[in-house]
Amino acid sequence: MFDLQNIRKQFPILSRKINGKDLVYLDNAATSHKPLHVLDSWQKYYTEINANVHRGIHTLSQIATEEMEHSRRKVQKFINAKNDFEVIFTKGTTEGLNLIAYSLNNLVKADDEIIISHLEHHSNIVPWQMLCERTGAKLKVIPMDENGVLQLDFLDKNLSEKTKIVSVNQVSNALGIINPIEEIISKTRANSNAITVVDGAQSVPHQKIDVQKMGCDFFVFSGHKMYAPMGTGILYGKEEILRKINPFHGGGEMIATCTFEKTTYADLPFKFEAGTPNVGGNISLGAAIDFMENIGLENIKTHENVLLNYAQKKLLEIDGLKIYGEKAMRTGVVSFNLEGVGISSDVGMILDKMGIAVRTGHHCTQPIMSFFNIAGTVRASFAVYNTLEEIDILADGVRKAQRMLS
């Protein structure tokens, strides 16, 4: 049974007052709050274990190693990876995408092509631009229409033997639009030998992920958007590709042998995990998966869709309010502006005075904002602990901001 009040009790921060008001936290696309189960896991590591992994024969090191590797296996199951060694621990989505872009350097040459979409976060734009600068490859962009829907006929016309990488997010962080990833991957497979990369930062918190069904070569996401600590993330890669490419970082842990003449690399996954990992964070990522699975991923998805539909209904009752991507299939996000209010941050500051936390600005998606000829939007984003009553408070707050700013 889905018990929202019991879920909320697991998040101590939700009882905070902000400017004398009950906190209404609607900035979950930036980061989600952490439940007691995750906080307890983090504290337990540092108070009862606190040892480095893989390198020690003493008891605490062995416990730390087993706990972190158990978390890796939880991630494997969570995203349905074929093997646990295809799961690489990272600091987050951004590091995962940079790792891929640098590791694929030797597979890309001048005049090759890399395809991304108009809906990408800067983290799925800049690493590919940097790869193009290093190799002489060309960057191409799948266009979108006025509803934020990607125009996939672009792929039919532009995929070729020159296409080496196709990298697209599964859900837009700025608009919440759900992209047809399986169709994109299918088109890519049919028309090229390109490597497919999926940015799952905004999809993993809201829906079940199956990388084998999806058919992607790489899938990356962050822990802190799915109730885990900051500084945690995952790179999934197919075994055959991970074995072909070179590591991004060099140092301890990722070597098999090291001499001044030559170094050989460790086996997967350690080849890509140089240095001391975020052991406590990685263990707590497993605790966050436990939290989500105990509630039920379908229950989370259903609840958040109710929130999204209700928020859209309530906000569109406000004269002069525009929702971007309104007619597209979306999850987790309502991104909007008020007519006659030129600066979205003004709305955000007024909402903050009422205890309402939203995100304003370009959301690290300046190309999207340029497409709509705006500087930014007000973005309300949802998590499993949000309520319909909080949506009502948001709508009332937006009305107040509209009166004040007009």
Side-chain angles (χ1 to χ4, degrees):
M1 178 179 175
F2 184 82
D3 186 343
L4 181 55
Q5 291 309 310
N6 183 58
I7 291 170
R8 286 180 63 83
K9 288 177 183 177
Q10 298 179 55
F11 292 85
I13 200 169
L14 297 181
S15 62
R16 268 205 69 167
K17 299 283 185 181
I18 300 294
N19 295 316
K21 306 288 186 181
D22 291 335
L23 170 63
V24 175
Y25 186 81
L26 298 173
D27 193 21
N28 296 285
T31 196
S32 60
H33 290 311
K34 322 307 175 195
L36 287 170
H37 182 61
V38 171
L39 298 174
D40 290 345
S41 171
W42 176 269
Q43 184 179 34
K44 179 181 178 181
Y45 170 74
Y46 282 107
T47 57
E48 298 182 20
I49 305 173
N50 192 38
N52 214 331
V53 292
H54 302 137
R55 302 170 192 158
I57 61 170
H58 62 83
T59 298
L60 291 182
S61 178
Q62 292 181 37
I63 293 172
T65 298
E66 177 51 39
E67 290 286 330
M68 196 178 86
E69 292 307 312
H70 183 50
S71 185
R72 193 192 304 273
R73 292 190 292 272
K74 287 181 183 178
V75 175
Q76 175 198 357
K77 180 181 176 184
F78 185 64
I79 63 173
N80 193 32
K82 185 177 181 181
N83 303 293
D84 61 355
F85 54 75
E86 294 176 315
V87 173
I88 313 296
F89 286 118
T90 68
K91 291 188 297 185
T93 305
T94 299
E95 185 181 52
L97 290 166
N98 276 276
L99 188 159
I100 298 166
Y102 275 89
S103 296
L104 293 178
N105 203 81
N106 293 338
L107 302 183
V108 178
K109 60 184 186 299
D111 296 323
D112 283 343
E113 295 173 352
I114 300 169
I115 295 178
I116 60 174
S117 89
H118 205 120
L119 283 172
E120 301 312 313
H121 187 281
H122 295 166
S123 294
N124 203 28
I125 300 174
V126 179
W128 306 117
Q129 290 176 328
M130 295 169 74
L131 178 56
C132 288
E133 290 170 0
R134 293 194 302 272
T135 62
K138 295 179 173 60
L139 191 69
K140 291 190 170 184
V141 182
I142 305 170
M144 67 180 188
D145 65 15
E146 66 279 2
N147 294 311
V149 176
L150 295 181
Q151 303 301 285
L152 297 189
D153 57 346
F154 174 91
L155 291 175
D156 299 325
K157 300 171 184 175
N158 285 273
L159 285 166
S160 71
E161 68 279 356
K162 287 187 175 182
T163 311
K164 292 299 184 287
I165 300 162
V166 175
S167 185
V168 183
N169 63 36
Q170 191 169 16
V171 172
S172 162
N173 73 296
L175 307 179
I177 291 173
I178 303 171
N179 290 320
I181 286 297
E182 291 187 26
E183 183 180 355
I184 291 171
I185 293 173
S186 177
K187 284 179 177 289
T188 302
R189 293 275 181 265
N191 294 284
S192 74
N193 293 315
I195 291 170
T196 55
V197 182
V198 178
D199 172 355
Q202 297 294 336
S203 58
V204 169
H206 306 295
Q207 62 190 66
K208 176 65 178 172
I209 302 299
D210 187 334
V211 293
Q212 292 192 70
K213 180 182 177 185
M214 197 183 297
C216 59
D217 296 307
F218 291 103
F219 186 90
V220 293
F221 63 95
S222 299
H224 73 97
K225 298 178 190 294
M226 51 168 286
Y227 314 106
M230 292 184 178
T232 62
I234 295 295
L235 161 64
Y236 156 80
K238 284 184 178 176
E239 176 186 5
E240 60 192 84
I241 298 177
L242 290 176
R243 293 198 182 280
K244 287 180 183 177
I245 62 177
N246 291 323
F248 176 33
H249 291 138
E253 187 66 22
M254 51 76 68
I255 64 101
T257 62
C258 180
T259 68
F260 288 120
E261 290 71 37
K262 183 174 177 59
T263 292
T264 59
Y265 302 136
D267 202 0
L268 299 175
F270 310 115
K271 172 182 173 182
F272 295 99
E273 293 182 351
T276 297
N278 181 0
V279 181
N282 293 341
I283 293 170
S284 296
L285 175 57
I289 289 173
D290 293 338
F291 168 77
M292 294 179 68
E293 291 184 334
N294 285 338
I295 295 172
L297 296 173
E298 279 302 313
N299 289 333
I300 293 173
K301 180 179 178 180
T302 298
H303 174 65
E304 291 177 346
N305 283 340
V306 169
L307 292 172
L308 175 64
N309 292 333
Y310 187 70
Q312 180 154 306
K313 174 180 176 293
K314 294 294 290 186
L315 290 171
L316 287 176
E317 292 172 358
I318 301 172
D319 290 339
L321 185 143
K322 175 181 176 59
I323 294 176
Y324 297 90
E326 174 193 343
K327 297 179 180 178
M329 184 180 296
R330 307 198 325 278
T331 184
V333 167
V334 176
S335 196
F336 63 91
N337 276 326
L338 291 168
E339 183 180 343
V341 178
I343 304 176
S344 60
S345 60
D346 290 346
V347 178
M349 286 189 288
I350 292 172
L351 293 176
D352 180 60
K353 297 298 183 184
M354 302 173 66
I356 306 166
V358 296
R359 182 71 42 162
T360 63
H362 57 66
H363 316 299
C364 293
T365 58
Q366 288 183 325
I368 295 177
M369 303 303 138
S370 296
F371 178 88
F372 290 114
N373 196 29
I374 54 177
T377 68
V378 182
R379 184 187 70 186
S381 51
F382 312 116
V384 68
Y385 43 68
N386 288 126
T387 69
L388 296 177
E389 290 75 18
E390 289 179 320
I391 304 300
D392 291 333
I393 294 170
L394 170 67
D396 290 342
V398 173
R399 286 191 177 88
K400 181 175 181 179
Q402 186 180 49
R403 290 194 300 269
M404 294 176 65
L405 294 171
S406 62

